[in-house]
Amino acid sequence: MNKKPFVTKDQLVEIIKEFPTPFHIYDEKGIRENARKLKEAFSWNKGFKEYFAVKATPNPHLLKILQEEGCGMDCSSLTELMMSEKCGFLGDDIMFSSNNTPAEEFQYARKLNATINLDDITHIDFLREVADIPKIISCRYNPGGKFALGTTIMDDPGDAKYGLTREQMTEAFLRLKELGAEEFGMHSFLASNTVTNEYYPELAKILFKVAVELKEETGVHIGFINLSGGVGIPYTPDKEPNDIIAIGEGVRKAYEEILVPAGMGDVAIYTELGRFMLGPYGHLVTTAVHEKHIYKEYIGVDACAVNLMRPAMYGAYHHITVMGKENEPCDYVYDVVGSLCENNDKFAVDRKLPKIDKGDILVIHDTGAHGFAMGYNYNGKLKSAEILLKEDGSTKLIRRAETPEDYFATLDF
Ligand SMILES: *Cc1c(COP(=O)(O)O)cnc(C)c1O
């Protein structure tokens, strides 16, 4: 797949006059079209709802766009709950899928009447002590072992800190029922950034089978099954994007094979996608400021790992377009680096690119989810602005860049 930025060089030159690089820019049109496609893919399910994983891109302006497209919010911390509340998400518009949860966060979630998805069996009594047991409650399931699609191992749930074991799911539902819960949900997250149309259908089969067993064992009413996140995006140009319509159909097939015959045709399907919702619709825009020739060739840019941590943290690939040089041969090999005193602060290593000159504008792709949000302040570097490219082509500053005053704000000296 040819990776093309959603903005042109001319547009960026104009935007940079007002907002200096580096910044993240988001594509409203792309976000809305994608959200509508997801909704269409699951339109066969009456109660379907996407709860956007706030942690991926916690910006109220973007949450509002998703709200207008019918999404709820998936939160896992106090400030995410507060931001969602402030954006007008109420009650069951909010899913609280946390782990190792502090008392005050459960209390806040209860105050908002968010749907709580418990990560552990001991959290039943903990929640009861610090707040109360709601009528609607969900539990996160961890099947253990390895999770495979065909012969490919996708991830290692047995090594993950999340969720309840199979036996604990039964015990938990019985206990919650005894404590007054009336409507039950199940959740599971077994593999991250899956670029295949098979992940959700396979996960659905696992969850649906367990749901049928749980209903028989405990007699509770299961109202929803939450497939959580994990539907990925193609970061590298050689990969094809997921076909969300095919994914929705795959889940429908499993639903009709497993749930409907068990008399569970009223179960709502929920998703908690983050990356899939926003990943491709964000770019980190940065300017080349230095070139260095030692044992390798380096291009220094004005962004660094503080603005996008995935390459430093996971060695993740993010595609780079040198604006205005899209059709030039990629006959140079560069490390594209930030300015942190950390040798992993590299957006690209040994990347074939066209010749880059100082002042060139670089677009780093697929930063719309888990991009800005993972940022930190190492080396005293400041976080960038976020800009929304609206559907009419105009731009709006949706987060200003940090200033030294912000950085010093928690210190008294
Ligand atoms: C991170 C997370 C998500 C979203 O994951 P993506 O990979 O962005 O789809 C959803 N649910 C939970 C509980 C998460 O922790």
Side-chain angles (χ1 to χ4, degrees):
M1 198 188 70
N2 183 19
K3 278 194 169 283
K4 248 183 89 182
F6 55 73
V7 277
T8 64
K9 183 181 174 187
D10 289 347
Q11 277 176 303
L12 283 177
V13 168
E14 283 309 304
I15 295 167
I16 290 169
K17 283 182 191 159
E18 198 177 349
F19 309 111
T21 57
F23 55 78
H24 286 266
I25 187 164
Y26 303 94
D27 173 22
E28 178 173 8
K29 186 162 177 282
I31 293 170
R32 287 192 189 274
E33 284 172 4
N34 185 62
R36 286 172 198 169
K37 229 158 130 192
L38 172 71
K39 224 171 146 181
E40 184 196 332
F42 286 90
S43 56
W44 55 267
N45 182 259
K46 195 163 158 274
F48 174 77
K49 194 172 176 89
E50 151 71 3
Y51 291 87
F52 174 68
V54 176
K55 74 166 191 266
T57 326
N59 186 303
H61 298 269
L62 301 174
L63 303 191
K64 284 292 219 184
I65 291 173
L66 293 171
Q67 186 177 46
E68 285 167 16
E69 298 301 332
C71 299
M73 291 295 131
D74 161 38
C75 301
S76 56
S77 71
L78 182 67
T79 50
E80 289 175 3
L81 285 169
M82 292 166 89
M83 187 183 287
S84 301
E85 178 188 23
K86 199 87 199 258
C87 288
F89 294 95
L90 288 171
D92 59 12
D93 291 337
I94 302 174
M95 184 67 61
F96 187 56
S97 285
S98 60
N99 70 92
N100 189 22
T101 312
E104 62 168 344
E105 301 194 358
F106 272 139
Q107 287 160 349
Y108 208 88
R110 282 298 293 130
K111 194 189 95 180
L112 299 184
N113 208 16
T115 302
I116 292 176
N117 179 36
L118 295 173
D119 183 68
D120 189 55
I121 193 158
T122 64
H123 290 188
I124 298 173
D125 285 328
F126 186 71
L127 176 62
R128 193 161 80 116
E129 265 166 45
V130 302
D132 60 344
I133 300 294
K135 295 263 178 275
I136 301 172
I137 192 111
S138 172
C139 289
R140 180 169 183 164
Y141 172 49
N142 181 338
K146 303 253 194 272
F147 175 69
L149 288 178
T151 55
T152 312
I153 303 239
M154 303 293 290
D155 222 318
D156 194 357
D159 197 39
K161 66 172 175 172
Y162 309 108
L164 289 76
T165 67
R166 176 64 192 83
E167 295 72 32
Q168 287 174 339
M169 287 296 288
T170 306
E171 209 182 312
F173 275 23
L174 287 170
R175 175 90 179 125
L176 287 163
K177 186 178 162 192
E178 192 181 287
L179 294 174
E182 290 169 4
E183 181 86 349
F184 289 73
M186 287 173 65
H187 168 284
S188 198
F189 192 160
L190 299 186
S192 195
N193 192 34
T194 58
V195 190
T196 156
N197 294 334
E198 303 307 313
Y199 170 62
Y200 256 7
E202 192 59 34
L203 169 69
K205 275 185 216 162
I206 294 172
L207 279 171
F208 293 170
K209 282 179 190 158
V210 174
V212 173
E213 292 168 11
L214 283 170
K215 181 196 160 197
E216 283 163 7
E217 288 166 9
T218 66
V220 305
H221 182 250
I222 294 176
F224 59 90
I225 291 178
N226 183 343
L227 302 176
S228 186
V231 175
I233 60 169
Y235 285 97
T236 53
D238 61 307
K239 285 213 174 83
E240 281 301 311
N242 286 324
D243 177 351
I244 198 65
I245 303 295
I247 290 173
E249 275 308 301
V251 175
R252 185 225 284 257
K253 207 162 152 266
Y255 191 99
E256 286 170 357
E257 274 169 25
I258 302 166
L259 289 182
V260 173
M264 297 173 74
D266 62 337
V267 172
I269 299 299
Y270 295 163
T271 57
E272 274 176 358
L273 296 167
R275 195 184 314 269
F276 181 80
M277 299 307 288
L278 291 193
Y281 313 108
H283 294 328
L284 173 57
V285 181
T286 184
T287 304
V289 289
H290 288 289
E291 52 184 277
K292 173 163 180 165
H293 318 281
I294 49 168
Y295 307 103
K296 294 178 85 172
E297 295 296 302
Y298 294 94
I299 294 295
V301 295
D302 61 4
C304 64
V306 160
N307 310 113
L308 177 68
M309 204 177 179
R310 297 186 70 260
M313 191 154 164
Y314 311 119
Y317 180 99
H318 278 263
H319 199 64
I320 294 177
T321 300
V322 184
M323 298 307 287
K325 297 187 174 175
E326 291 83 348
N327 298 317
E328 292 187 17
C330 292
D331 50 4
Y332 281 72
V333 176
Y334 292 117
D335 281 12
V336 178
V337 304
S339 56
L340 296 189
C341 303
E342 266 292 346
N343 197 41
N344 65 3
D345 183 17
K346 296 182 174 182
F347 291 117
V349 174
D350 298 331
R351 184 78 56 89
K352 285 186 184 151
L353 288 165
K355 181 172 188 313
I356 297 176
D357 297 297
K358 278 194 254 179
D360 277 350
I361 302 166
L362 274 60
V363 158
I364 303 179
H365 290 248
D366 300 313
T367 69
H370 312 295
F372 179 96
M374 285 176 107
Y376 59 132
N377 278 117
Y378 198 52
N379 261 174
K381 293 283 175 178
L382 305 174
K383 293 196 202 156
S384 78
E386 294 182 289
I387 293 164
L388 180 66
L389 177 65
K390 299 213 279 191
E391 285 182 294
D392 63 7
S394 65
T395 52
K396 180 177 175 184
L397 184 66
I398 56 171
R399 185 195 299 268
R400 67 163 171 82
E402 274 183 351
T403 64
E405 289 69 36
D406 296 317
Y407 180 73
F408 294 125
T410 50
L411 298 167
D412 192 5
F413 75 111

